[in-house]
Amino acid sequence: MPGTGDWWQSMQAALAGRALAVVLADPTMLPREAVEPGRWPPGMQVIVERPRLRPDVVSDAVRARRGSPARMVTVECAAPSVGLDDAILDGCGWARSLIGGPLSFRAGIATAQGSRIALLDSGGDDGSIPATLMATPVGGFHGGGLLQVLALGEVRTEVTVDQPAGLNRVETVTEEGTLRHPERYESSARLALRRAMEACSSGEPAADLHELFQDMALTWALLDA
């Protein structure tokens, strides 16, 4: 199912048609009033394809840290104005994934040039982990864009997602040296379809939609700041 237009209503139509699962492809941001996250039935499998936030690439980045927590995460996004909100959405997802839990919005500003800056954190009273996100509009009329993510701590994780170039690069730096993870050759769409089939077979609920709405809530907060 395309993630363009009012994809929430399309998902509702699939639910009414008793679909076993929905694959939502590269969803764009919707207005806050257009969705009702709490009304989606938990038994309905939804796999969200997010090419800038592939679950296999995220797994590579998280697993290579070997349980070493991030002390701070920074995210830089650059995309044409038409797709900048969507890049912010996936940038929030990367910060959440590397911190290992939900984030809270603390502050945000927008510049006269259209750039946006947000301060997020893991929300705990003790040992809260901060994250910063900067989004910059660039020239062009098509979606896509660039994400550069840095997780600092005893282990350093560097992620570069360059959609126009088809690049998903993850590097992990430890005291033993630098590991560059091998390129993933499976397409994002094929990965999403395979995950949907596995979810239907196992019956285990996918967390994709819940995580998408977490990231959308942060993006809405930044856009409203």
Side-chain angles (χ1 to χ4, degrees), residues 132-146:
T132 61
L133 184 145
M134 175 179 287
T136 304
V138 296
F141 300 97
H142 301 289
L146 173 70

Side-chain angles (χ1 to χ4, degrees), residues 50-200:
R50 300 172 72 174
R52 290 178 293 261
L53 189 69
R54 291 176 54 123
D56 52 355
V57 177
V58 171
S59 179
D60 285 343
V62 172
R63 187 170 53 247
R65 297 188 64 84
R66 300 178 185 176
S68 178
R71 306 300 181 186
M72 180 178 182
V73 174
T74 65
V75 180
E76 296 182 53
C77 314
S81 297
V82 69
L84 188 60
D85 295 352
D86 304 327
I88 293 173
L89 175 69
D90 291 337
C92 290
W94 267 109
R96 169 182 50 76
S97 299
L98 289 171
I99 286 177
L103 298 175
S104 299
F105 180 84
R106 296 305 181 195
I109 60 172
T111 69
Q113 293 74 31
S115 297
R116 294 183 179 272
I117 303 172
L119 174 63
L120 316 171
D121 67 34
S122 59
D125 294 331
D126 298 318
S128 177
I129 303 171
T132 61
L133 184 145
M134 175 179 287
T136 304
V138 296
F141 300 97
H142 301 289
L146 173 70
L147 293 179
Q148 291 187 306
V149 188
L150 182 63
L152 298 174
E154 287 76 10
V155 174
R156 176 186 175 108
T157 302
E158 299 182 26
V159 179
T160 302
V161 180
D162 186 339
Q163 264 196 305
L167 175 66
N168 282 274
R169 185 174 65 203
V170 177
E171 292 185 346
T172 304
V173 183
T174 67
E175 60 182 6
E176 299 170 358
T178 300
L179 169 66
R180 176 173 290 186
H181 297 263
E183 183 179 353
R184 295 281 185 167
Y185 290 101
E186 184 177 27
S187 71
S188 178
R190 180 184 172 88
L191 172 63
L193 182 59
R194 177 166 60 82
R195 293 182 61 236
M197 295 173 64
E198 291 172 352
C200 289

